[in-house]
C-alpha cells in the first residue's frame, strides 16, 4: 500500500542551526502539507503546497520556515535558526483530494 | 478562529462495549469531516470520513454527522484493547487549492480487557 515516507525519524540539533526535514509523498498525490505536534498538544497546520507553490500557510509558518519540492518526488521543510520552541513532531501529509495521509513523522529536538 | 473541540478524556470502556467519541466544530463552512486514530508517538491514521448528514458505517466504526448542530461523532462497537489510542476529529473547509485539515486536540480512549 502506498505511504508517505519521512526522513529522518529523529533529528537533534543545536539552537540556531538549520534543519531540513524530508518527505516523499504518495506518488499520484497532488497536494502536500506539513503539520507539527508539540508534545501533548494538537496537530497544527503549518503549510499546504500545490502546483509548485504554497497555497496556504499558518501564522506559525513565518520567515524561519520554507518548503520546497526540488524534484518530482521529494517535499522538504527547512527550518532556519532553530529555537527551543521548534521542538516537536513534524508530520508530512499528502492528498489526492480531501483525504490526507500522514507520514510517520520526524521528531525534532532543539537543544 | 476556527475551532474543533473534543473532550480530552480519558474515556475508559470495558472490552466489548461501545465507545462514543464526540466533536463539535465552529466553522459552518466546513464540508468534510474525518476521524483519525493516533497511537502514542505515532502519526495520525485515517479511519473514517463523512461528508453528508447521517450515519456512515465501516466495520465496527460508525461516524455520525449533524451539520445543523455542528456535531460529529464516532462510535466504536465491540471495543478491543487494540482500539486504545487518541482519536482526533478533523474538519476541512473544501475549496481553493488545498484541503487543509483543522484538528481537535483528541480524545484518549482506553479499552480495558
Amino acid at each position: 500500500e502506498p505511504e508517505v515516507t519521512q526522513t529522518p525519524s529523529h533529528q537533534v540539533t543545536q539552537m540556531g542551526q538549520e534543519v531540513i526535514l524530508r518527505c516523499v509523498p504518495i506518488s499520484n498525490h497532488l497536494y502536500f502539507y506539513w503539520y507539527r505536534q508539540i508534545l501533548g498538544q494538537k496537530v497544527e497546520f503549518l503549510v499546504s503546497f500545490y502546483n509548485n507553490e504554497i497555497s496556504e500557510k499558518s501564522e506559525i509558518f513565518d520567515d524561519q520556515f520554507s518548503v520546497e519540492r526540488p524534484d518530482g518526488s521529494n517535499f522538504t521543510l527547512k527550518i532556519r535558526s532553530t529555537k527551543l520552541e521548534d521542538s516537536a513532531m513534524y508530520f508530512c501529509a499528502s492528498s489526492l483530494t480531501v483525504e490526507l495521509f500522514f507520514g510517520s513523522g520526524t521528531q525534532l529536538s532543539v537543544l | 478562529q476556527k475551532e474543533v473541540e473534543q473532550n480530552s478524556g480519558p474515556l475508559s470502556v470495558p472490552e466489548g462495549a461501545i465507545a462514543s467519541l464526540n466533536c463539535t466544530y465552529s466553522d459552518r463552512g466546513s464540508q468534510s469531516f474525518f476521524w483519525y486514530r493516533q497511537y502514542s508517538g505515532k502519526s495520525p491514521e485515517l479511519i473514517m470520513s463523512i461528508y453528508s448528514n447521517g450515519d456512515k458505517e465501516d466495520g465496527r466504526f460508525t461516524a455520525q454527522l449533524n451539520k445543523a448542530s455542528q456535531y460529529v461523532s464516532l462510535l466504536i462497537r465491540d471495543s478491543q484493547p487494540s482500539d486504545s489510542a487518541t482519536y482526533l476529529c478533523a474538519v476541512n473547509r473544501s475549496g481553493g487549492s488545498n484541503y487543509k485539515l483543522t484538528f481537535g486536540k483528541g480524545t484518549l480512549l482506553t479499552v480495558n480487557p
Side-chain angles (χ1 to χ4, degrees):
Chain A
E1 185 168 326
E3 60 179 20
V4 178
T5 304
Q6 287 187 245
T7 55
S9 57
H10 293 85
Q11 176 83 54
V12 180
T13 191
Q14 295 292 322
M15 191 168 54
Q17 296 297 304
E18 175 182 287
V19 295
I20 297 176
L21 309 183
R22 292 184 164 79
C23 171
V24 178
I26 294 172
S27 60
N28 65 332
H29 284 188
L30 303 175
Y31 301 86
F32 314 112
Y33 313 82
W34 284 101
Y35 284 78
R36 80 173 184 188
Q37 188 175 31
I38 295 170
L39 188 63
Q41 298 188 23
K42 65 172 66 177
V43 177
E44 300 176 288
F45 169 76
L46 293 178
V47 65
S48 57
F49 193 87
Y50 170 73
N51 200 26
N52 286 317
E53 61 182 19
I54 291 174
S55 47
E56 186 173 346
K57 57 184 180 179
S58 71
E59 294 174 351
I60 304 168
F61 195 89
D62 59 19
D63 292 344
Q64 184 193 3
F65 296 88
S66 62
V67 290
E68 195 176 41
R69 188 159 161 81
D71 53 41
S73 59
N74 292 286
F75 181 50
T76 63
L77 174 68
K78 181 188 290 186
I79 310 175
R80 286 179 286 274
S81 189
T82 49
K83 304 175 229 178
L84 295 175
E85 54 265 37
D86 294 328
S87 295
M89 180 76 92
Y90 287 80
F91 295 113
C92 174
S94 69
S95 73
L96 190 55
T97 56
V98 297
E99 295 188 344
L100 271 65
F101 296 90
F102 285 78
S104 57
T106 294
Q107 179 66 57
L108 177 64
S109 299
V110 182
L111 306 179
Chain B
Q1 183 79 4
K2 307 295 189 285
E3 298 287 345
V4 177
E5 300 290 339
Q6 298 180 251
N7 289 327
S8 59
L11 172 65
S12 184
V13 300
E15 184 174 354
I18 296 175
S20 177
L21 305 160
N22 304 314
C23 170
T24 59
Y25 60 94
S26 63
D27 183 2
R28 285 199 171 273
S30 298
Q31 298 289 324
S32 306
F33 307 86
F34 306 89
W35 285 98
Y36 284 79
R37 179 174 61 200
Q38 186 177 33
Y39 293 111
S40 181
K42 302 297 184 183
S43 61
E45 175 192 8
L46 179 63
I47 55 171
M48 286 290 287
S49 56
I50 186 166
Y51 309 110
S52 55
N53 283 328
D55 295 359
K56 179 182 176 183
E57 186 174 320
D58 183 0
R60 296 187 295 113
F61 299 99
T62 298
Q64 299 173 316
L65 174 62
N66 184 326
K67 288 185 178 179
S69 301
Q70 297 176 247
Y71 176 86
V72 195
S73 67
L74 179 70
L75 299 178
I76 307 174
R77 289 181 299 282
D78 187 25
S79 295
Q80 300 297 308
S82 58
D83 295 327
S84 299
T86 297
Y87 288 80
L88 309 178
C89 175
V91 305
N92 161 255
R93 186 189 179 104
S94 291
S97 55
N98 85 90
Y99 295 99
K100 176 190 90 171
L101 293 178
T102 300
F103 282 86
K105 196 172 179 181
T107 298
L108 176 62
L109 171 67
T110 301
V111 180
N112 301 304

